Amino acid sequence: MLHALGFSQSINFDQLDKEKWMRYNGGVSANAVYYDGTANRQNLTYYLSGNLNFNIAGLYNIPLSFTYSNQVFDFPNPFKFNRLSLHPSYKWATAHIGDVSMTFSPYTLAGHQFTGGGFDLNPEGKFQVSAMYGRFLKATEYNFEEPRAITVYKRMGYASKN
């Protein structure tokens, strides 16, 4: 069975500054650890990691990252690192759709990522209303072969602020 999903966006590149329509930045780091002891491990461990971010027309950010090591890491993780979020807005209304984060106060949500939706309404600075609903964590089952793995229940939540 084949499933197809498509998105489209039109950009008039003639109106963009020709030299600034695509920018990129990033960094690379290399680390090494030498161990001189009796434990059953490699004497030299090295890590190479980096990130690269492409910005297209000031509208889209495409982050890429990598990590390479001579050790193998197998860690089941309940968090989703590939995230898509949309933040459409019109005048004083903003919607947050997809894998997003919202902050109601330094103690409420405080940038915690969730999968769902929310909105902010702020008509001309008179008052502000915000609400959200979504899944904070995805369920991860217990792995009998790896007892130290993290097990997580599915966590849903909602919040509002006025």
Side-chain angles (χ1 to χ4, degrees), residues 19-85:
E19 297 175 10
K20 298 180 183 176
W21 77 272
M22 186 166 94
R23 294 182 177 209
Y24 60 92
N25 61 6
V28 176
S29 68
N31 298 303
V33 176
Y34 178 74
Y35 176 75
D36 186 18
T38 59
N40 187 13
R41 60 175 283 179
Q42 295 177 351
N43 290 336
L44 180 65
T45 305
Y46 58 88
Y47 307 93
L48 180 64
S49 61
N51 59 9
L52 184 61
N53 187 52
F54 293 98
N55 182 291
I56 300 175
L59 298 172
Y60 301 104
N61 283 315
I62 304 171
L64 304 170
S65 63
F66 67 91
T67 303
Y68 180 77
S69 172
N70 64 337
Q71 289 188 340
V72 178
F73 295 102
D74 185 15
F75 185 75
N77 196 339
F79 304 103
K80 189 166 74 172
F81 290 107
N82 296 326
R83 297 175 110 38
L84 173 66
S85 62

Side-chain angles (χ1 to χ4, degrees), residues 4 13 24 26 29 32 35 54 56 68 88 97 113 133 142 158 160:
F13 286 101
Y24 60 92
S29 68
Y35 176 75
F54 293 98
I56 300 175
Y68 180 77
I97 304 164
Q113 293 180 335
Y133 175 78
Y142 180 74
Y158 59 92
S160 67

Side-chain angles (χ1 to χ4, degrees), residues 70-145:
N70 64 337
Q71 289 188 340
V72 178
F73 295 102
D74 185 15
F75 185 75
N77 196 339
F79 304 103
K80 189 166 74 172
F81 290 107
N82 296 326
R83 297 175 110 38
L84 173 66
S85 62
L86 303 171
H87 303 275
S89 63
Y90 180 73
K91 294 188 180 181
W92 44 266
T94 303
H96 308 284
I97 304 164
D99 300 309
V100 297
S101 66
M102 295 175 70
T103 299
F104 290 0
S105 76
Y107 307 107
T108 307
L109 294 181
H112 188 80
Q113 293 180 335
F114 64 94
T115 301
F119 63 86
D120 293 316
L121 304 176
N122 190 6
E124 300 175 12
K126 295 178 183 175
F127 63 90
Q128 183 175 1
V129 175
S130 300
M132 61 75 59
Y133 175 78
R135 184 186 72 212
F136 289 107
L137 287 177
K138 186 172 151 180
T140 303
E141 293 187 20
Y142 180 74
N143 184 354
F144 291 101
E145 296 174 2

